[in-house]
């Protein structure tokens, strides 16, 4: 393994990262568009949001399994201590949200008596929690708040990657891409 390869994420990690990133942004836009509709059309669009959320959950579990068996490259050595702490903290919060948001959505749907249609292929059953519409509504509210926090953290993540790539010139975004220069 070359020195540059040791500073890049593995191909599998890159695929998981970019696939999940695209799906998270797409799912945010799907739910934003759902607010423009009413009735059956809103339900259809929200059905896509739920199915994409479950897909994100499955991919995140896959990514965590991948990560547990593949070495993560070290953070660039020129990062300040606070930058390393911030990077690690944001990544942990990302994983928590990537798991908690879909599970929370599934739980809230279950509490409000709804199963999840997975793109018309099969139905994901309700969790065995009984019906409690008030609690389900509260969890939906927390789900929405968590989603908003996630979007702000994604913006912070993107700004950090761009800063490290173009201002610090330490490889930043190229650590998660199969091309570009990752300096030593």
């Amino acid at each position: 393994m070359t020195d540059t390869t040791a500073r890049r994420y593995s191909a599998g990690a890159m695929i998981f990262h970019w696939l999940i990133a695209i799906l998270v942004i797409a799912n945010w836009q799907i739910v934003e568009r759902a607010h423009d509709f009413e009735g059956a059309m809103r339900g259809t669009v929200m059905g896509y949001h739920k199915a994409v959320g479950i897909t994100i959950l499955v991919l995140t579990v896959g990514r965590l399994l991948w990560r547990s068996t593949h070495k993560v490259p070290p953070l660039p050595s020129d990062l300040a201590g606070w930058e390393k702490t911030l990077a690690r903290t944001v990544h942990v919060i990302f994983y928590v949200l990537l798991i908690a948001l879909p599970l929370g959505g599934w739980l809230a749907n279950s509490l409000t008596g709804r199963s999840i249609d997975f793109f018309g292929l099969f139905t994901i059953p309700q969790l065995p929690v009984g019906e409690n519409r008030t609690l389900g509504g509260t969890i939906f509210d927390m789900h929405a708040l968590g989603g908003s926090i996630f979007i702000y953290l994604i913006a912070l993540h993107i700004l950090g990657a761009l800063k490290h790539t173009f201002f610090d010139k330490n490889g930043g975004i190229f650590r998660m891409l199969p091309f570009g220069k990752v300096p030593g």
Side-chain angles (χ1 to χ4, degrees), residues 1-9 71-74 175:
M1 174 169 11
T2 66
D3 211 28
T4 297
T5 305
R7 291 187 306 271
R8 285 189 202 280
Y9 283 85
K71 187 174 168 91
V72 175
R175 291 166 31 89

Side-chain angles (χ1 to χ4, degrees), residues 33-48:
R33 297 298 72 81
H35 298 301
D36 297 337
F37 300 107
E38 294 180 18
M41 183 56 130
R42 182 178 175 141
T44 298
V45 175
M46 285 304 295
Y48 295 135

Side-chain angles (χ1 to χ4, degrees), residues 48 53 79 89 171:
Y48 295 135
L79 294 183
T89 302

Side-chain angles (χ1 to χ4, degrees), residues 18 161-162 164-166 171-177 179:
W18 292 109
L162 293 173
H164 296 305
T165 303
F166 298 109
I173 198 169
F174 298 118
R175 291 166 31 89
M176 191 51 85
L177 291 169
F179 57 84

Side-chain angles (χ1 to χ4, degrees), residues 63-74:
R63 183 172 182 184
L64 286 169
L65 290 171
W66 181 271
R67 187 180 172 121
S68 72
T69 60
H70 293 79
K71 187 174 168 91
V72 175

Side-chain angles (χ1 to χ4, degrees), residues 4 7 168-172 181-184:
T4 297
R7 291 187 306 271
D168 301 339
K169 300 191 184 310
N170 68 7
K181 186 174 182 192
V182 182

